[in-house]
Amino acid sequence: MDGCVERALRGTCGIAPVEHAMHLRSCMVLTLDREQSQVLREMLQGAVTQLRLESARADSHDFREILHRREGIVTAVLAQLSEPRAA
C-alpha cells in the first residue's frame, strides 16, 4: 500500500492543505462512526470473498494477477480498519 495512504489512515499524513489537493487520490483521511466502520468492514470482507472467487475462475494469468493485487489492497485497508484507535 502507498505509504501516504498508510499514514493518512493513521492520521499522520502531514501534507499541507494546498499540497493535499494535488495528492487527494493517494492520501485521504476518512472519519467513520462505529456503525459506518462495521458496515465498511463487512463490505470489504465481501469484496475479498468475491475477488477470491473471481480469481479462482479467471482464465487469464494477467487478469488473475490484477485480482490478487486488488485483494491485497482490500485486505490491507481491512486490516487498517481493524486496528485499535487511540481515543
Side-chain angles (χ1 to χ4, degrees):
M1 181 183 299
D2 184 317
C4 188
V5 173
E6 287 182 39
R7 290 188 307 277
L9 291 171
R10 286 180 174 46
T12 59
C13 188
I15 293 180
V18 172
E19 225 179 328
H20 188 277
M22 294 168 35
H23 290 87
L24 190 57
R25 292 187 180 184
S26 65
C27 187
M28 179 183 2
V29 176
L30 183 62
T31 304
L32 303 171
D33 64 27
R34 283 181 196 237
E35 185 177 16
Q36 291 169 331
S37 180
Q38 180 60 35
V39 169
L40 182 55
R41 269 194 299 276
E42 290 169 4
M43 291 172 65
L44 291 172
Q45 288 165 344
V48 168
T49 300
Q50 288 299 329
L51 285 165
R52 287 179 181 161
L53 290 171
E54 269 189 79
S55 175
R57 290 184 276 200
D59 292 331
S60 165
H61 176 74
D62 292 339
F63 185 55
R64 190 174 302 118
E65 288 298 315
I66 290 168
L67 294 172
H68 282 291
R69 176 156 168 67
R70 289 184 69 113
E71 180 187 339
I73 291 168
V74 173
T75 301
V77 172
L78 190 53
Q80 297 266 332
L81 279 171
S82 299
E83 288 181 0
R85 308 298 290 176

